[in-house]
Amino acid sequence: MKQEDDIRKAIEVMRKGGIILYPTDTVWGIGCDATNAEAVAKVYALKRRDDSKALICLVDSDDRLQRYVRNVPDVAWQLIDAVERPTTLILDGAVNLAGNLIAEDGSIGIRITKEPFSHELCYRFQKAVVSTSANISGEPAAQNYCDISQEILDGVDYICESRRQEHKPHVPSSIVKLGIDGQVKIIRK
């Protein structure tokens, strides 16, 4: 299947409130429309994850990031420009996202993806896409498609075909929390 067709099918599923399994700029992810609370609830249920532990989402561009965060601090732009590996930013003032995706303090974990498949998926979907590791909460993240448990495979509405054959090390993103006051806290290196 061509990547273009794979992305089209994934988008169709997300537009109907379904959840997908897809390759990202880090590990394989479970995704859905980040603005659809019912779809987000399905992801929490599949992962058996407490919904007080917020999920992250991916976007394709600076412009899209600004659609979901009220005031992006200057240090965020500096960090985005400086980092070489995928880095998720936790930013205050989340807006226009499903309420159950936003942390209790009003923040959101969000990352601009540059990896070709997930970038194109976000670009063509024209919205933020949930991106949480394809595993049951507490179990190791699936670095490659072959590492994904049957329970996760059976629990999604669509499994992307792109990059299924890969067998190489992938690691989760770095996570950095940025306060409006300029505070920087590294959550995961």
Side-chain angles (χ1 to χ4, degrees):
M1 175 183 295
K2 286 191 207 166
Q3 178 175 301
E4 181 179 322
D5 295 330
D6 204 11
I7 288 172
R8 184 179 43 74
K9 286 186 177 186
I11 288 170
E12 284 173 17
V13 168
M14 289 192 295
R15 284 197 175 125
K16 293 176 182 169
I19 59 177
I20 65 169
L21 198 54
Y22 69 111
T24 75
D25 53 346
T26 59
V27 297
W28 269 73
I30 301 170
C32 69
D33 177 349
T35 67
N36 181 327
E38 289 178 17
V40 171
K42 289 181 199 175
V43 173
Y44 278 117
L46 177 60
K47 283 186 65 82
R48 289 191 240 142
R49 183 175 173 134
D50 184 340
D51 64 8
S52 68
K53 292 184 176 181
L55 302 172
I56 68 164
C57 55
L58 297 181
V59 293
D60 65 313
S61 66
D62 295 357
D63 288 343
R64 193 108 42 226
L65 173 68
Q66 292 179 88
R67 183 184 297 174
Y68 300 111
V69 177
R70 193 170 284 113
N71 293 304
V72 180
D74 289 340
V75 69
W77 301 120
Q78 294 164 5
L79 196 57
I80 289 167
D81 290 342
V83 296
E84 293 189 16
R85 67 177 278 215
T87 301
T88 299
L89 302 179
I90 299 176
L91 300 169
D92 293 324
V95 292
N96 303 319
L97 293 164
N100 54 348
L101 188 60
I102 299 170
E104 289 178 10
D105 66 359
S107 67
I108 186 66
I110 195 164
R111 180 168 77 248
I112 298 172
T113 179
K114 296 175 177 80
E115 179 274 328
F117 185 88
S118 54
H119 179 271
E120 188 69 13
L121 178 73
C122 293
Y123 173 74
R124 293 201 23 217
F125 190 52
Q126 297 286 295
K127 292 184 187 179
V129 176
V130 165
S131 181
T132 183
S133 56
N135 61 314
I136 301 299
S137 195
E139 293 181 2
Q143 292 185 34
N144 295 287
Y145 176 77
C146 62
D147 301 323
I148 301 170
S149 73
Q150 195 61 49
E151 184 176 355
I152 296 293
L153 294 169
D154 292 343
V156 299
D157 300 301
Y158 181 72
I159 302 171
C160 292
E161 299 208 9
S162 300
R163 294 181 41 207
R164 283 194 194 182
Q165 306 310 315
E166 271 185 6
H167 293 282
K168 61 183 188 179
H170 294 277
V171 293
S173 69
S174 298
I175 301 177
V176 179
K177 182 168 177 53
L178 302 177
I180 292 175
D181 57 1
Q183 270 191 320
V184 176
K185 181 178 180 183
I186 297 172
I187 307 293
R188 181 171 67 202
K189 285 190 177 192

